[in-house]
Amino acid sequence: MPSALEIAKSFHKTPALVRHRVRCGRPTCRCATGEAHGPYWFLRWREGSVQRRRYVRHADLAALRAVVERRRQDDAEARLAVALATVNLRRLRAWLRDLDPTA
Ligand SMILES: [Zn+2]
């Protein structure tokens, strides 16, 4: 089973780093009636319609943050590149239409 760090680095979409409290399920635990455990950090991603998450050890948190943040920046740059390419393509098409109005 790949580690949270491996998933953060290699999953085709950038996973999210989220933090929430959990209930352990033991009926006698204080979390059954009171406040849940944590909060703990998890890596969360979606595989098709299935939401998955992996616990993030505190020792791995800084490395995971760095990987996720880097990927989010890369994603934003990629979206910008696509947007610019789309604009350029539109301009090119308009320019071609102007050259040959029958096209
Ligand atoms: Zn509990």
Side-chain angles (χ1 to χ4, degrees):
M1 190 150 71
S3 71
L5 192 57
E6 286 165 341
I7 293 165
K9 283 178 178 169
S10 64
F11 191 65
H12 68 279
K13 284 169 74 179
T14 304
L17 209 46
V18 298
R19 191 175 68 148
H20 49 86
R21 295 181 178 278
V22 294
R23 294 186 197 284
C24 65
R26 284 177 296 165
T28 56
C29 183
R30 64 170 170 81
C31 77
T33 52
E35 193 168 89
H37 305 276
Y40 301 115
W41 287 96
F42 295 87
L43 196 65
R44 189 181 67 193
W45 69 96
R46 187 179 285 280
E47 290 177 12
S49 60
V50 183
Q51 187 86 249
R52 298 199 185 280
R53 71 178 189 183
R54 178 70 52 84
Y55 173 71
V56 173
R57 288 179 301 173
H58 190 75
D60 295 337
L61 183 57
L64 270 160
R65 273 211 177 104
V67 167
V68 169
E69 182 52 32
R70 174 77 255 165
R71 287 197 64 178
R72 287 169 64 90
Q73 285 174 17
D74 289 349
D75 293 346
E77 284 170 21
R79 279 194 299 274
L80 184 60
V82 168
L84 289 173
T86 302
V87 167
N88 284 333
L89 188 59
R90 199 173 296 140
R91 283 183 184 150
L92 194 57
R93 281 190 179 133
W95 180 74
L96 284 171
R97 253 194 321 273
D98 287 347
L99 281 183
D100 181 5
T102 64

